[in-house]
Amino acid sequence: VENRAADHRLRMLFPTDVQSDVYIAQTPYELTERRIACDEATASWQEMEIPEKPFLHMQAVGDGVKRGLAFLSSGGLHEGGVMDDSRRTMQVTLFRSFRRTIGTEGETDCLELGAHRFRFALLPYAGALPVQHALEAMQCLQSGITSRQSGQRPSGFAPLPKTAGTPPFSFLQRNRSVVVRAIKPADDQSGDIVIRLWNPHKECRVEVLEFSAPPTSAHRCLLCENAMEELPLDKGGRIAVRVGAGEITTIRIQM
């Protein structure tokens, strides 16, 4: 989009024709259910409730039976909602471009002139929102593809298999019962690997982690990465981690 205009908002509108009174918006480590209709009691307030609401990267509306639509953003789009109209129109704000920045005497920092690029995906579904699939599709949309050198030139990674029909190689394989939110080096520069898991479901799940090389130890730890309880490794070096409903679990791996 090449924006050359001031004092306007540009939105995308997606009529869903879903019969529902609520929709789902992703917030940090939470899938929040929101009412579509605004609270009429706020109509006389100085700041009345409005249909536009913040979301992180995903929002969805469905009837739980035959029809549903999820919007997945690669980033940068954080205002949306569902209109209280006959078609239950999903809305996403692309940008606001105004000559007067809110709360100032006339600063123009709020003008969004020039070229804008937006990358997103639409996920139609039936029945309940496929939470696991939707969140992983969103992460794939955001992460893109990473390539590396292999073969004759050493890259520091294990060699990739060359035989036709060999299963794909991965640093981490799992049974995909919860969502991986981070894989990072430990902050203390010890060489340990920190893996953060999030269970978006309403029941406890068990995630099995298998690495390209068996780890020497694994610990459940705090968000500050201080180790707590040690997790047992099976003979293949796999780790089974119980993650409670809505829980964030951080695992520290020593390779």
Side-chain angles (χ1 to χ4, degrees):
V1 178
E2 180 72 28
N3 179 42
R4 300 179 183 179
D7 300 328
H8 76 119
R9 171 184 62 174
L10 184 63
R11 293 182 296 173
M12 292 185 293
L13 302 179
F14 303 97
T16 67
D17 294 322
V18 167
Q19 298 301 313
S20 178
D21 295 325
V22 297
Y23 72 99
I24 294 173
Q26 183 200 11
T27 54
Y29 289 104
E30 181 68 48
L31 296 178
T32 303
E33 186 176 272
R34 292 180 174 150
R35 293 175 300 127
I36 292 175
C38 293
D39 187 354
E40 295 181 356
T42 69
S44 60
W45 294 9
Q46 183 174 356
E47 294 186 4
M48 61 183 293
E49 184 181 5
I50 59 176
E52 296 83 1
K53 301 287 196 306
F55 72 101
L56 191 58
H57 301 295
M58 180 181 77
Q59 59 180 4
V61 61
D63 59 15
V65 183
K66 295 182 179 180
R67 195 177 187 90
L69 180 69
F71 175 89
L72 313 177
S73 169
S74 65
L77 302 176
H78 300 296
E79 182 182 88
V82 176
M83 295 179 179
D84 188 16
D85 59 6
S86 61
R87 302 197 67 182
R88 289 299 191 250
T89 302
M90 181 183 291
Q91 58 174 326
V92 178
T93 299
L94 295 179
F95 60 80
R96 296 171 180 266
S97 181
F98 292 89
R99 280 175 286 193
R100 179 173 176 177
T101 304
I102 296 297
T104 73
E105 295 300 323
E107 295 177 2
T108 58
D109 294 342
C110 205
L111 280 175
E112 298 287 344
L113 303 178
H116 302 269
R117 295 181 180 273
F118 306 98
R119 190 164 179 259
F120 62 91
L122 298 177
L123 174 64
Y125 63 92
L129 171 67
V131 172
Q132 189 76 24
H133 173 67
L135 290 172
E136 292 189 351
M138 181 193 72
Q139 289 181 324
C140 288
L141 180 69
Q142 294 172 347
S143 61
I145 297 174
T146 300
S147 62
R148 69 172 178 88
Q149 179 73 36
S150 65
Q152 297 299 319
R153 298 183 62 84
S155 59
F157 293 87
L160 292 175
K162 301 177 182 179
T163 307
T166 303
F169 174 85
S170 177
F171 165 73
L172 173 64
Q173 298 187 56
R174 56 196 184 88
N175 59 329
R176 298 180 181 275
S177 67
V178 299
V179 177
V180 173
R181 295 299 293 163
I183 301 177
K184 59 181 286 293
D187 285 347
D188 60 9
Q189 299 182 346
S190 62
D192 292 355
I193 305 255
V194 170
I195 299 175
R196 187 158 295 124
L197 306 174
W198 170 45
N199 180 4
H201 306 285
K202 297 182 180 179
E203 68 279 343
C204 180
R205 296 287 183 95
V206 176
E207 184 73 18
V208 179
L209 306 177
E210 182 177 2
F211 300 87
S212 57
T216 57
S217 68
H219 290 80
R220 194 186 298 268
C221 62
L222 301 172
L223 285 173
C224 65
E225 301 180 6
N226 291 339
M228 298 170 61
E229 61 175 312
E230 185 171 5
L231 298 173
L233 307 175
D234 69 8
K235 293 182 180 180
R238 290 180 291 268
I239 307 164
V241 184
R242 291 179 63 85
V243 188
E247 187 176 78
I248 305 167
T249 296
T250 305
I251 310 299
R252 184 170 180 136
I253 308 294
Q254 186 175 32
M255 304 299 291

